[in-house]
Structures are given as structure tokens and as C-alpha cells.
PDB file of all heavy atoms in Angstrom:
ATOM      1  N   LEU L   1      -5.439  -4.853   0.058  1.00  0.00           N
ATOM      2  CA  LEU L   1      -4.034  -4.457   0.316  1.00  0.00           C
ATOM      3  C   LEU L   1      -4.069  -2.860   0.626  1.00  0.00           C
ATOM      4  O   LEU L   1      -3.196  -2.462   1.454  1.00  0.00           O
ATOM      5  CB  LEU L   1      -3.206  -4.592  -0.904  1.00  0.00           C
ATOM      6  CG  LEU L   1      -2.879  -6.257  -1.213  1.00  0.00           C
ATOM      7  CD1 LEU L   1      -2.078  -6.239  -2.518  1.00  0.00           C
ATOM      8  CD2 LEU L   1      -2.200  -6.789  -0.085  1.00  0.00           C
ATOM      9  N   GLU L   2      -4.821  -2.099  -0.071  1.00  0.00           N
ATOM     10  CA  GLU L   2      -4.900  -0.644   0.119  1.00  0.00           C
ATOM     11  C   GLU L   2      -5.353  -0.419   1.566  1.00  0.00           C
ATOM     12  O   GLU L   2      -4.991   0.618   2.254  1.00  0.00           O
ATOM     13  CB  GLU L   2      -5.940  -0.005  -0.812  1.00  0.00           C
ATOM     14  CG  GLU L   2      -5.258   0.037  -2.146  1.00  0.00           C
ATOM     15  CD  GLU L   2      -6.138   0.634  -3.138  1.00  0.00           C
ATOM     16  OE1 GLU L   2      -7.477   0.565  -3.021  1.00  0.00           O
ATOM     17  OE2 GLU L   2      -5.755   1.142  -4.257  1.00  0.00           O
ATOM     18  N   GLU L   3      -6.240  -1.261   2.165  1.00  0.00           N
ATOM     19  CA  GLU L   3      -6.715  -1.121   3.632  1.00  0.00           C
ATOM     20  C   GLU L   3      -5.543  -1.285   4.462  1.00  0.00           C
ATOM     21  O   GLU L   3      -5.454  -0.532   5.508  1.00  0.00           O
ATOM     22  CB  GLU L   3      -7.873  -2.050   3.817  1.00  0.00           C
ATOM     23  CG  GLU L   3      -8.343  -1.881   5.312  1.00  0.00           C
ATOM     24  CD  GLU L   3      -9.386  -2.910   5.558  1.00  0.00           C
ATOM     25  OE1 GLU L   3      -9.799  -3.723   4.756  1.00  0.00           O
ATOM     26  OE2 GLU L   3      -9.961  -2.805   6.742  1.00  0.00           O
ATOM     27  N   GLN L   4      -4.740  -2.214   4.142  1.00  0.00           N
ATOM     28  CA  GLN L   4      -3.589  -2.364   5.043  1.00  0.00           C
ATOM     29  C   GLN L   4      -2.595  -1.283   4.975  1.00  0.00           C
ATOM     30  O   GLN L   4      -1.880  -1.009   5.843  1.00  0.00           O
ATOM     31  CB  GLN L   4      -2.753  -3.767   4.653  1.00  0.00           C
ATOM     32  CG  GLN L   4      -3.623  -5.063   4.834  1.00  0.00           C
ATOM     33  CD  GLN L   4      -4.023  -5.176   6.216  1.00  0.00           C
ATOM     34  OE1 GLN L   4      -3.292  -4.731   7.182  1.00  0.00           O
ATOM     35  NE2 GLN L   4      -5.042  -5.930   6.509  1.00  0.00           N
ATOM     36  N   ILE L   5      -2.493  -0.655   3.850  1.00  0.00           N
ATOM     37  CA  ILE L   5      -1.702   0.535   3.689  1.00  0.00           C
ATOM     38  C   ILE L   5      -2.206   1.611   4.623  1.00  0.00           C
ATOM     39  O   ILE L   5      -1.360   2.310   5.404  1.00  0.00           O
ATOM     40  CB  ILE L   5      -1.486   1.097   2.307  1.00  0.00           C
ATOM     41  CG1 ILE L   5      -0.737   0.090   1.455  1.00  0.00           C
ATOM     42  CG2 ILE L   5      -0.872   2.334   2.122  1.00  0.00           C
ATOM     43  CD1 ILE L   5      -0.807   0.207  -0.004  1.00  0.00           C
ATOM     44  N   VAL L   6      -3.465   1.832   4.672  1.00  0.00           N
ATOM     45  CA  VAL L   6      -4.132   2.893   5.455  1.00  0.00           C
ATOM     46  C   VAL L   6      -3.917   2.590   6.880  1.00  0.00           C
ATOM     47  O   VAL L   6      -3.619   3.396   7.684  1.00  0.00           O
ATOM     48  CB  VAL L   6      -5.698   3.002   5.123  1.00  0.00           C
ATOM     49  CG1 VAL L   6      -6.347   3.916   5.921  1.00  0.00           C
ATOM     50  CG2 VAL L   6      -5.890   3.439   3.709  1.00  0.00           C
ATOM     51  N   ASN L   7      -4.034   1.222   7.255  1.00  0.00           N
ATOM     52  CA  ASN L   7      -4.088   0.929   8.664  1.00  0.00           C
ATOM     53  C   ASN L   7      -2.630   0.362   9.041  1.00  0.00           C
ATOM     54  O   ASN L   7      -2.544  -0.048  10.183  1.00  0.00           O
ATOM     55  CB  ASN L   7      -5.085  -0.307   8.889  1.00  0.00           C
ATOM     56  CG  ASN L   7      -6.487   0.192   8.669  1.00  0.00           C
ATOM     57  OD1 ASN L   7      -6.808   1.413   8.994  1.00  0.00           O
ATOM     58  ND2 ASN L   7      -7.368  -0.628   8.396  1.00  0.00           N
ATOM     59  N   HIS L   8      -1.685   0.677   8.344  1.00  0.00           N
ATOM     60  CA  HIS L   8      -0.316   0.212   8.561  1.00  0.00           C
ATOM     61  C   HIS L   8       0.172   0.753   9.902  1.00  0.00           C
ATOM     62  O   HIS L   8       0.123   1.913  10.163  1.00  0.00           O
ATOM     63  CB  HIS L   8       0.583   0.529   7.381  1.00  0.00           C
ATOM     64  CG  HIS L   8       1.900  -0.298   7.464  1.00  0.00           C
ATOM     65  ND1 HIS L   8       1.981  -1.598   7.085  1.00  0.00           N
ATOM     66  CD2 HIS L   8       3.117   0.086   7.721  1.00  0.00           C
ATOM     67  CE1 HIS L   8       3.179  -2.005   7.192  1.00  0.00           C
ATOM     68  NE2 HIS L   8       3.946  -1.070   7.514  1.00  0.00           N
ATOM     69  N   GLU L   9       0.628  -0.264  10.746  1.00  0.00           N
ATOM     70  CA  GLU L   9       1.081   0.143  12.052  1.00  0.00           C
ATOM     71  C   GLU L   9       2.705   0.185  12.261  1.00  0.00           C
ATOM     72  O   GLU L   9       3.015   0.540  13.341  1.00  0.00           O
ATOM     73  CB  GLU L   9       0.599  -0.926  13.099  1.00  0.00           C
ATOM     74  CG  GLU L   9      -1.040  -0.953  13.052  1.00  0.00           C
ATOM     75  CD  GLU L   9      -1.456  -1.960  14.062  1.00  0.00           C
ATOM     76  OE1 GLU L   9      -0.683  -2.596  14.934  1.00  0.00           O
ATOM     77  OE2 GLU L   9      -2.715  -2.084  14.175  1.00  0.00           O
ATOM     78  N   GLY L  10       3.324   0.114  11.191  1.00  0.00           N
ATOM     79  CA  GLY L  10       4.786   0.252  11.383  1.00  0.00           C
ATOM     80  C   GLY L  10       5.558  -0.980  11.700  1.00  0.00           C
ATOM     81  O   GLY L  10       6.815  -1.038  11.667  1.00  0.00           O
ATOM     82  N   ASP L  11       4.849  -2.107  12.306  1.00  0.00           N
ATOM     83  CA  ASP L  11       5.706  -3.151  12.749  1.00  0.00           C
ATOM     84  C   ASP L  11       5.291  -4.510  11.944  1.00  0.00           C
ATOM     85  O   ASP L  11       5.581  -5.651  12.265  1.00  0.00           O
ATOM     86  CB  ASP L  11       5.435  -3.591  14.159  1.00  0.00           C
ATOM     87  CG  ASP L  11       3.909  -3.758  14.455  1.00  0.00           C
ATOM     88  OD1 ASP L  11       2.978  -3.557  13.620  1.00  0.00           O
ATOM     89  OD2 ASP L  11       3.475  -4.141  15.585  1.00  0.00           O
ATOM     90  N   ILE L  12       4.840  -4.386  10.692  1.00  0.00           N
ATOM     91  CA  ILE L  12       4.364  -5.439   9.848  1.00  0.00           C
ATOM     92  C   ILE L  12       5.267  -5.352   8.499  1.00  0.00           C
ATOM     93  O   ILE L  12       5.562  -4.262   8.045  1.00  0.00           O
ATOM     94  CB  ILE L  12       2.871  -5.450   9.381  1.00  0.00           C
ATOM     95  CG1 ILE L  12       1.996  -5.433  10.640  1.00  0.00           C
ATOM     96  CG2 ILE L  12       2.488  -6.705   8.592  1.00  0.00           C
ATOM     97  CD1 ILE L  12       0.473  -5.307  10.348  1.00  0.00           C
ATOM     98  N   GLU L  13       5.771  -6.526   8.079  1.00  0.00           N
ATOM     99  CA  GLU L  13       6.362  -6.520   6.836  1.00  0.00           C
ATOM    100  C   GLU L  13       5.346  -7.154   5.733  1.00  0.00           C
ATOM    101  O   GLU L  13       4.466  -7.845   6.117  1.00  0.00           O
ATOM    102  CB  GLU L  13       7.544  -7.482   6.836  1.00  0.00           C
ATOM    103  CG  GLU L  13       8.747  -6.925   7.800  1.00  0.00           C
ATOM    104  CD  GLU L  13       9.336  -5.708   7.048  1.00  0.00           C
ATOM    105  OE1 GLU L  13       9.272  -5.472   5.904  1.00  0.00           O
ATOM    106  OE2 GLU L  13       9.905  -4.910   7.972  1.00  0.00           O
ATOM    107  N   PRO L  14       5.308  -6.618   4.527  1.00  0.00           N
ATOM    108  CA  PRO L  14       6.369  -5.721   3.993  1.00  0.00           C
ATOM    109  C   PRO L  14       6.016  -4.221   4.302  1.00  0.00           C
ATOM    110  O   PRO L  14       4.969  -3.894   4.840  1.00  0.00           O
ATOM    111  CB  PRO L  14       6.174  -5.992   2.370  1.00  0.00           C
ATOM    112  CG  PRO L  14       4.833  -6.284   2.320  1.00  0.00           C
ATOM    113  CD  PRO L  14       4.405  -7.144   3.505  1.00  0.00           C
ATOM    114  N   THR L  15       6.947  -3.434   3.978  1.00  0.00           N
ATOM    115  CA  THR L  15       6.780  -1.973   4.229  1.00  0.00           C
ATOM    116  C   THR L  15       5.722  -1.344   3.362  1.00  0.00           C
ATOM    117  O   THR L  15       5.173  -1.931   2.316  1.00  0.00           O
ATOM    118  CB  THR L  15       8.117  -1.148   3.962  1.00  0.00           C
ATOM    119  OG1 THR L  15       8.404  -1.260   2.666  1.00  0.00           O
ATOM    120  CG2 THR L  15       9.099  -1.894   4.810  1.00  0.00           C
ATOM    121  N   ILE L  16       5.325  -0.132   3.576  1.00  0.00           N
ATOM    122  CA  ILE L  16       4.233   0.677   2.858  1.00  0.00           C
ATOM    123  C   ILE L  16       4.737   0.713   1.348  1.00  0.00           C
ATOM    124  O   ILE L  16       4.020   0.610   0.372  1.00  0.00           O
ATOM    125  CB  ILE L  16       3.983   1.902   3.381  1.00  0.00           C
ATOM    126  CG1 ILE L  16       3.196   1.609   4.762  1.00  0.00           C
ATOM    127  CG2 ILE L  16       3.052   2.771   2.578  1.00  0.00           C
ATOM    128  CD1 ILE L  16       2.903   2.952   5.459  1.00  0.00           C
ATOM    129  N   SER L  17       6.130   1.078   1.237  1.00  0.00           N
ATOM    130  CA  SER L  17       6.601   1.155  -0.182  1.00  0.00           C
ATOM    131  C   SER L  17       6.507  -0.025  -0.884  1.00  0.00           C
ATOM    132  O   SER L  17       6.038  -0.007  -2.333  1.00  0.00           O
ATOM    133  CB  SER L  17       8.127   1.615  -0.230  1.00  0.00           C
ATOM    134  OG  SER L  17       8.270   2.812   0.445  1.00  0.00           O
ATOM    135  N   VAL L  18       6.703  -1.157  -0.379  1.00  0.00           N
ATOM    136  CA  VAL L  18       6.560  -2.499  -1.075  1.00  0.00           C
ATOM    137  C   VAL L  18       5.249  -2.811  -1.355  1.00  0.00           C
ATOM    138  O   VAL L  18       4.835  -3.250  -2.379  1.00  0.00           O
ATOM    139  CB  VAL L  18       7.295  -3.647  -0.241  1.00  0.00           C
ATOM    140  CG1 VAL L  18       6.993  -4.941  -0.985  1.00  0.00           C
ATOM    141  CG2 VAL L  18       8.722  -3.390  -0.171  1.00  0.00           C
ATOM    142  N   LEU L  19       4.344  -2.554  -0.408  1.00  0.00           N
ATOM    143  CA  LEU L  19       2.794  -2.668  -0.595  1.00  0.00           C
ATOM    144  C   LEU L  19       2.266  -1.851  -1.729  1.00  0.00           C
ATOM    145  O   LEU L  19       1.477  -2.426  -2.439  1.00  0.00           O
ATOM    146  CB  LEU L  19       2.072  -2.335   0.675  1.00  0.00           C
ATOM    147  CG  LEU L  19       2.083  -3.485   1.959  1.00  0.00           C
ATOM    148  CD1 LEU L  19       1.358  -2.904   3.069  1.00  0.00           C
ATOM    149  CD2 LEU L  19       1.530  -4.797   1.359  1.00  0.00           C
ATOM    150  N   ASN L  20       2.738  -0.673  -1.904  1.00  0.00           N
ATOM    151  CA  ASN L  20       2.396   0.152  -2.901  1.00  0.00           C
ATOM    152  C   ASN L  20       2.688  -0.427  -4.236  1.00  0.00           C
ATOM    153  O   ASN L  20       1.989  -0.387  -5.283  1.00  0.00           O
ATOM    154  CB  ASN L  20       2.878   1.516  -2.764  1.00  0.00           C
ATOM    155  CG  ASN L  20       2.193   2.459  -1.814  1.00  0.00           C
ATOM    156  OD1 ASN L  20       0.986   2.259  -1.766  1.00  0.00           O
ATOM    157  ND2 ASN L  20       2.834   3.231  -1.030  1.00  0.00           N
ATOM    158  N   GLY L  21       3.945  -1.105  -4.331  1.00  0.00           N
ATOM    159  CA  GLY L  21       4.321  -1.661  -5.509  1.00  0.00           C
ATOM    160  C   GLY L  21       3.603  -2.945  -5.777  1.00  0.00           C
ATOM    161  O   GLY L  21       3.115  -3.162  -7.045  1.00  0.00           O
ATOM    162  N   LEU L  22       3.200  -3.692  -4.784  1.00  0.00           N
ATOM    163  CA  LEU L  22       2.310  -4.918  -4.991  1.00  0.00           C
ATOM    164  C   LEU L  22       0.869  -4.484  -5.446  1.00  0.00           C
ATOM    165  O   LEU L  22       0.266  -5.132  -6.343  1.00  0.00           O
ATOM    166  CB  LEU L  22       2.355  -5.708  -3.734  1.00  0.00           C
ATOM    167  CG  LEU L  22       3.684  -6.269  -3.340  1.00  0.00           C
ATOM    168  CD1 LEU L  22       3.459  -7.034  -1.982  1.00  0.00           C
ATOM    169  CD2 LEU L  22       4.152  -7.339  -4.244  1.00  0.00           C
ATOM    170  N   VAL L  23       0.419  -3.442  -4.964  1.00  0.00           N
ATOM    171  CA  VAL L  23      -0.944  -2.919  -5.332  1.00  0.00           C
ATOM    172  C   VAL L  23      -0.880  -2.440  -6.765  1.00  0.00           C
ATOM    173  O   VAL L  23      -1.762  -2.879  -7.643  1.00  0.00           O
ATOM    174  CB  VAL L  23      -1.366  -1.765  -4.399  1.00  0.00           C
ATOM    175  CG1 VAL L  23      -2.594  -1.012  -5.202  1.00  0.00           C
ATOM    176  CG2 VAL L  23      -1.765  -2.307  -3.080  1.00  0.00           C
ATOM    177  N   ALA L  24       0.116  -1.799  -7.174  1.00  0.00           N
ATOM    178  CA  ALA L  24       0.304  -1.332  -8.525  1.00  0.00           C
ATOM    179  C   ALA L  24       0.405  -2.553  -9.578  1.00  0.00           C
ATOM    180  O   ALA L  24      -0.239  -2.635 -10.557  1.00  0.00           O
ATOM    181  CB  ALA L  24       1.582  -0.457  -8.688  1.00  0.00           C
ATOM    182  N   MET L  25       1.201  -3.547  -9.047  1.00  0.00           N
ATOM    183  CA  MET L  25       1.304  -4.723 -10.000  1.00  0.00           C
ATOM    184  C   MET L  25       0.038  -5.525 -10.145  1.00  0.00           C
ATOM    185  O   MET L  25      -0.437  -5.933 -11.230  1.00  0.00           O
ATOM    186  CB  MET L  25       2.316  -5.664  -9.443  1.00  0.00           C
ATOM    187  CG  MET L  25       2.593  -6.914 -10.203  1.00  0.00           C
ATOM    188  SD  MET L  25       4.035  -7.864  -9.480  1.00  0.00           S
ATOM    189  CE  MET L  25       3.117  -8.494  -8.011  1.00  0.00           C
ATOM    190  N   THR L  26      -0.707  -5.530  -8.993  1.00  0.00           N
ATOM    191  CA  THR L  26      -1.980  -6.331  -9.064  1.00  0.00           C
ATOM    192  C   THR L  26      -3.106  -5.448  -9.833  1.00  0.00           C
ATOM    193  O   THR L  26      -3.881  -6.169 -10.637  1.00  0.00           O
ATOM    194  CB  THR L  26      -2.492  -6.472  -7.604  1.00  0.00           C
ATOM    195  OG1 THR L  26      -1.344  -7.366  -6.876  1.00  0.00           O
ATOM    196  CG2 THR L  26      -3.843  -7.357  -7.627  1.00  0.00           C
ATOM    197  N   ARG L  27      -2.990  -4.241  -9.803  1.00  0.00           N
ATOM    198  CA  ARG L  27      -4.032  -3.457 -10.569  1.00  0.00           C
ATOM    199  C   ARG L  27      -3.589  -3.718 -12.144  1.00  0.00           C
ATOM    200  O   ARG L  27      -4.584  -3.757 -12.977  1.00  0.00           O
ATOM    201  CB  ARG L  27      -3.816  -2.061 -10.252  1.00  0.00           C
ATOM    202  CG  ARG L  27      -4.705  -1.044 -11.015  1.00  0.00           C
ATOM    203  CD  ARG L  27      -4.639   0.365 -10.573  1.00  0.00           C
ATOM    204  NE  ARG L  27      -5.123   0.697  -9.157  1.00  0.00           N
ATOM    205  CZ  ARG L  27      -4.331   0.947  -8.244  1.00  0.00           C
ATOM    206  NH1 ARG L  27      -3.012   1.121  -8.421  1.00  0.00           N
ATOM    207  NH2 ARG L  27      -4.760   1.152  -6.972  1.00  0.00           N
ATOM    208  N   TYR L  28      -2.428  -3.728 -12.492  1.00  0.00           N
ATOM    209  CA  TYR L  28      -2.089  -3.982 -13.861  1.00  0.00           C
ATOM    210  C   TYR L  28      -2.584  -5.378 -14.192  1.00  0.00           C
ATOM    211  O   TYR L  28      -3.150  -5.442 -15.394  1.00  0.00           O
ATOM    212  CB  TYR L  28      -0.396  -3.977 -13.917  1.00  0.00           C
ATOM    213  CG  TYR L  28       0.037  -4.600 -15.372  1.00  0.00           C
ATOM    214  CD1 TYR L  28      -0.120  -3.831 -16.508  1.00  0.00           C
ATOM    215  CD2 TYR L  28       0.681  -5.880 -15.348  1.00  0.00           C
ATOM    216  CE1 TYR L  28       0.369  -4.447 -17.742  1.00  0.00           C
ATOM    217  CE2 TYR L  28       1.197  -6.320 -16.462  1.00  0.00           C
ATOM    218  CZ  TYR L  28       0.987  -5.568 -17.654  1.00  0.00           C
ATOM    219  OH  TYR L  28       1.390  -6.188 -18.755  1.00  0.00           O
ATOM    220  N   CYS L  29      -2.440  -6.397 -13.342  1.00  0.00           N
ATOM    221  CA  CYS L  29      -2.922  -7.724 -13.671  1.00  0.00           C
ATOM    222  C   CYS L  29      -4.360  -7.723 -13.803  1.00  0.00           C
ATOM    223  O   CYS L  29      -4.970  -8.519 -14.575  1.00  0.00           O
ATOM    224  CB  CYS L  29      -2.406  -8.690 -12.599  1.00  0.00           C
ATOM    225  SG  CYS L  29      -0.719  -9.070 -12.719  1.00  0.00           S
ATOM    226  N   ARG L  30      -5.074  -6.895 -13.086  1.00  0.00           N
ATOM    227  CA  ARG L  30      -6.587  -6.907 -13.133  1.00  0.00           C
ATOM    228  C   ARG L  30      -7.019  -6.549 -14.534  1.00  0.00           C
ATOM    229  O   ARG L  30      -7.941  -7.125 -15.043  1.00  0.00           O
ATOM    230  CB  ARG L  30      -7.147  -5.853 -12.111  1.00  0.00           C
ATOM    231  CG  ARG L  30      -8.509  -5.603 -12.032  1.00  0.00           C
ATOM    232  CD  ARG L  30      -8.858  -4.373 -12.723  1.00  0.00           C
ATOM    233  NE  ARG L  30     -10.314  -4.064 -12.815  1.00  0.00           N
ATOM    234  CZ  ARG L  30     -11.079  -4.542 -13.803  1.00  0.00           C
ATOM    235  NH1 ARG L  30     -10.617  -5.244 -14.806  1.00  0.00           N
ATOM    236  NH2 ARG L  30     -12.425  -4.178 -13.892  1.00  0.00           N
ATOM    237  N   PHE L  31      -6.400  -5.602 -15.166  1.00  0.00           N
ATOM    238  CA  PHE L  31      -6.755  -5.199 -16.595  1.00  0.00           C
ATOM    239  C   PHE L  31      -6.114  -6.185 -17.579  1.00  0.00           C
ATOM    240  O   PHE L  31      -6.850  -6.369 -18.586  1.00  0.00           O
ATOM    241  CB  PHE L  31      -6.491  -3.814 -16.739  1.00  0.00           C
ATOM    242  CG  PHE L  31      -7.168  -2.773 -15.902  1.00  0.00           C
ATOM    243  CD1 PHE L  31      -6.670  -2.190 -14.807  1.00  0.00           C
ATOM    244  CD2 PHE L  31      -8.563  -2.616 -16.192  1.00  0.00           C
ATOM    245  CE1 PHE L  31      -7.233  -1.330 -14.057  1.00  0.00           C
ATOM    246  CE2 PHE L  31      -9.325  -1.814 -15.412  1.00  0.00           C
ATOM    247  CZ  PHE L  31      -8.628  -1.146 -14.285  1.00  0.00           C
ATOM    248  N   LEU L  32      -4.938  -6.624 -17.353  1.00  0.00           N
ATOM    249  CA  LEU L  32      -4.292  -7.434 -18.225  1.00  0.00           C
ATOM    250  C   LEU L  32      -4.996  -8.806 -18.405  1.00  0.00           C
ATOM    251  O   LEU L  32      -5.265  -9.380 -19.495  1.00  0.00           O
ATOM    252  CB  LEU L  32      -2.829  -7.758 -17.881  1.00  0.00           C
ATOM    253  CG  LEU L  32      -2.045  -8.687 -18.728  1.00  0.00           C
ATOM    254  CD1 LEU L  32      -1.766  -8.238 -20.026  1.00  0.00           C
ATOM    255  CD2 LEU L  32      -0.791  -9.086 -17.926  1.00  0.00           C
ATOM    256  N   LEU L  33      -5.345  -9.280 -17.224  1.00  0.00           N
ATOM    257  CA  LEU L  33      -6.044 -10.663 -17.326  1.00  0.00           C
ATOM    258  C   LEU L  33      -7.595 -10.665 -17.435  1.00  0.00           C
ATOM    259  O   LEU L  33      -8.070 -11.658 -17.939  1.00  0.00           O
ATOM    260  CB  LEU L  33      -5.597 -11.408 -16.010  1.00  0.00           C
ATOM    261  CG  LEU L  33      -4.152 -11.473 -15.623  1.00  0.00           C
ATOM    262  CD1 LEU L  33      -3.907 -12.136 -14.374  1.00  0.00           C
ATOM    263  CD2 LEU L  33      -3.438 -12.172 -16.757  1.00  0.00           C
ATOM    264  N   PHE L  34      -8.246  -9.649 -16.918  1.00  0.00           N
ATOM    265  CA  PHE L  34      -9.710  -9.694 -16.797  1.00  0.00           C
ATOM    266  C   PHE L  34     -10.352  -8.603 -17.655  1.00  0.00           C
ATOM    267  O   PHE L  34     -11.755  -8.524 -17.589  1.00  0.00           O
ATOM    268  CB  PHE L  34     -10.178  -9.693 -15.424  1.00  0.00           C
ATOM    269  CG  PHE L  34      -9.503 -10.696 -14.539  1.00  0.00           C
ATOM    270  CD1 PHE L  34      -8.632 -10.287 -13.510  1.00  0.00           C
ATOM    271  CD2 PHE L  34      -9.665 -11.968 -14.773  1.00  0.00           C
ATOM    272  CE1 PHE L  34      -8.002 -11.206 -12.710  1.00  0.00           C
ATOM    273  CE2 PHE L  34      -9.236 -12.971 -14.005  1.00  0.00           C
ATOM    274  CZ  PHE L  34      -8.292 -12.569 -13.009  1.00  0.00           C
ATOM    275  N   GLY L  35      -9.592  -7.737 -18.390  1.00  0.00           N
ATOM    276  CA  GLY L  35     -10.258  -6.758 -19.259  1.00  0.00           C
ATOM    277  C   GLY L  35     -10.961  -5.668 -18.551  1.00  0.00           C
ATOM    278  O   GLY L  35     -10.554  -5.342 -17.314  1.00  0.00           O
ATOM    279  N   PHE L  36     -11.872  -4.929 -19.153  1.00  0.00           N
ATOM    280  CA  PHE L  36     -12.422  -3.787 -18.679  1.00  0.00           C
ATOM    281  C   PHE L  36     -13.966  -3.616 -18.437  1.00  0.00           C
ATOM    282  O   PHE L  36     -14.401  -2.688 -18.048  1.00  0.00           O
ATOM    283  CB  PHE L  36     -12.114  -2.605 -19.742  1.00  0.00           C
ATOM    284  CG  PHE L  36     -10.744  -2.251 -19.822  1.00  0.00           C
ATOM    285  CD1 PHE L  36      -9.784  -3.053 -20.512  1.00  0.00           C
ATOM    286  CD2 PHE L  36     -10.188  -1.195 -19.143  1.00  0.00           C
ATOM    287  CE1 PHE L  36      -8.389  -2.720 -20.436  1.00  0.00           C
ATOM    288  CE2 PHE L  36      -8.908  -0.827 -19.227  1.00  0.00           C
ATOM    289  CZ  PHE L  36      -7.922  -1.543 -19.868  1.00  0.00           C
ATOM    290  N   GLU L  37     -14.597  -4.812 -18.572  1.00  0.00           N
ATOM    291  CA  GLU L  37     -16.070  -4.894 -18.350  1.00  0.00           C
ATOM    292  C   GLU L  37     -16.194  -4.936 -16.927  1.00  0.00           C
ATOM    293  O   GLU L  37     -15.498  -5.693 -16.163  1.00  0.00           O
ATOM    294  CB  GLU L  37     -16.628  -6.036 -18.954  1.00  0.00           C
ATOM    295  CG  GLU L  37     -16.497  -6.049 -20.493  1.00  0.00           C
ATOM    296  CD  GLU L  37     -17.074  -4.733 -21.140  1.00  0.00           C
ATOM    297  OE1 GLU L  37     -18.065  -4.217 -20.665  1.00  0.00           O
ATOM    298  OE2 GLU L  37     -16.307  -4.237 -22.053  1.00  0.00           O
ATOM    299  N   GLU L  38     -17.268  -4.175 -16.323  1.00  0.00           N
ATOM    300  CA  GLU L  38     -17.466  -4.108 -14.890  1.00  0.00           C
ATOM    301  C   GLU L  38     -18.937  -4.349 -14.610  1.00  0.00           C
ATOM    302  O   GLU L  38     -19.763  -4.346 -15.601  1.00  0.00           O
ATOM    303  CB  GLU L  38     -17.125  -2.816 -14.421  1.00  0.00           C
ATOM    304  CG  GLU L  38     -15.558  -2.556 -14.313  1.00  0.00           C
ATOM    305  CD  GLU L  38     -14.964  -3.116 -12.962  1.00  0.00           C
ATOM    306  OE1 GLU L  38     -15.746  -3.250 -12.133  1.00  0.00           O
ATOM    307  OE2 GLU L  38     -13.863  -3.510 -13.006  1.00  0.00           O
ATOM    308  N   ASP L  39     -19.404  -4.668 -13.392  1.00  0.00           N
ATOM    309  CA  ASP L  39     -20.641  -4.847 -13.043  1.00  0.00           C
ATOM    310  C   ASP L  39     -21.350  -3.439 -12.919  1.00  0.00           C
ATOM    311  O   ASP L  39     -20.826  -2.438 -12.844  1.00  0.00           O
ATOM    312  CB  ASP L  39     -20.797  -5.684 -11.719  1.00  0.00           C
ATOM    313  CG  ASP L  39     -20.091  -4.986 -10.625  1.00  0.00           C
ATOM    314  OD1 ASP L  39     -20.331  -3.860 -10.445  1.00  0.00           O
ATOM    315  OD2 ASP L  39     -19.224  -5.745  -9.916  1.00  0.00           O
ATOM    316  N   GLU L  40     -22.716  -3.514 -12.816  1.00  0.00           N
ATOM    317  CA  GLU L  40     -23.454  -2.273 -12.719  1.00  0.00           C
ATOM    318  C   GLU L  40     -23.316  -1.420 -11.578  1.00  0.00           C
ATOM    319  O   GLU L  40     -23.452  -0.228 -11.530  1.00  0.00           O
ATOM    320  CB  GLU L  40     -25.012  -2.579 -12.831  1.00  0.00           C
ATOM    321  CG  GLU L  40     -25.526  -3.395 -11.505  1.00  0.00           C
ATOM    322  CD  GLU L  40     -26.885  -3.794 -11.625  1.00  0.00           C
ATOM    323  OE1 GLU L  40     -27.453  -3.930 -12.748  1.00  0.00           O
ATOM    324  OE2 GLU L  40     -27.559  -4.004 -10.653  1.00  0.00           O
ATOM    325  N   LEU L  41     -22.674  -1.974 -10.404  1.00  0.00           N
ATOM    326  CA  LEU L  41     -22.339  -1.174  -9.407  1.00  0.00           C
ATOM    327  C   LEU L  41     -21.177  -0.160  -9.719  1.00  0.00           C
ATOM    328  O   LEU L  41     -21.197   0.980  -9.160  1.00  0.00           O
ATOM    329  CB  LEU L  41     -21.731  -2.004  -8.204  1.00  0.00           C
ATOM    330  CG  LEU L  41     -22.796  -2.924  -7.631  1.00  0.00           C
ATOM    331  CD1 LEU L  41     -22.043  -3.801  -6.523  1.00  0.00           C
ATOM    332  CD2 LEU L  41     -23.864  -2.134  -6.908  1.00  0.00           C
ATOM    333  N   ASP L  42     -20.421  -0.339 -10.759  1.00  0.00           N
ATOM    334  CA  ASP L  42     -19.295   0.555 -10.997  1.00  0.00           C
ATOM    335  C   ASP L  42     -19.879   1.325 -12.175  1.00  0.00           C
ATOM    336  O   ASP L  42     -19.184   2.477 -12.304  1.00  0.00           O
ATOM    337  CB  ASP L  42     -18.068  -0.213 -11.489  1.00  0.00           C
ATOM    338  CG  ASP L  42     -17.434  -0.973 -10.440  1.00  0.00           C
ATOM    339  OD1 ASP L  42     -17.098  -0.343  -9.428  1.00  0.00           O
ATOM    340  OD2 ASP L  42     -17.480  -2.188 -10.405  1.00  0.00           O
ATOM    341  N   LEU L  43     -20.803   1.010 -12.941  1.00  0.00           N
ATOM    342  CA  LEU L  43     -21.095   1.886 -14.237  1.00  0.00           C
ATOM    343  C   LEU L  43     -22.563   2.372 -13.968  1.00  0.00           C
ATOM    344  O   LEU L  43     -23.116   3.060 -14.996  1.00  0.00           O
ATOM    345  CB  LEU L  43     -21.077   0.870 -15.336  1.00  0.00           C
ATOM    346  CG  LEU L  43     -19.697   0.203 -15.614  1.00  0.00           C
ATOM    347  CD1 LEU L  43     -19.793  -0.672 -16.798  1.00  0.00           C
ATOM    348  CD2 LEU L  43     -18.682   1.243 -15.684  1.00  0.00           C
ATOM    349  N   GLY L  44     -23.134   2.352 -12.917  1.00  0.00           N
ATOM    350  CA  GLY L  44     -24.395   2.963 -12.835  1.00  0.00           C
ATOM    351  C   GLY L  44     -24.448   4.513 -12.606  1.00  0.00           C
ATOM    352  O   GLY L  44     -23.404   5.089 -12.937  1.00  0.00           O
TER     353      GLY L  44
END
């Protein structure tokens, strides 16, 4: 979703503002649902 925000061309729905909200909501769910443990790529 963040890649789509970077590459947003202005003629796709939803708008960047809405996409930012969806990214923020999904980030919240990432920690709410799956906790904080990560693989070694993130903690090396």
C-alpha cells in the first residue's frame, strides 16, 4: 500500500489521504493480531 502511495498517479481511487488511513489501520492490526516477534532480517 505504501508503494502505491509513492507511485500514486492521481487517477486511481482511493485518494492518498484514504490510503494513508488504510495503511495506519493495517499497521495497528499488524501488532494487535500478530504481536511483536519478528524474524532475524528485522532484528539482525
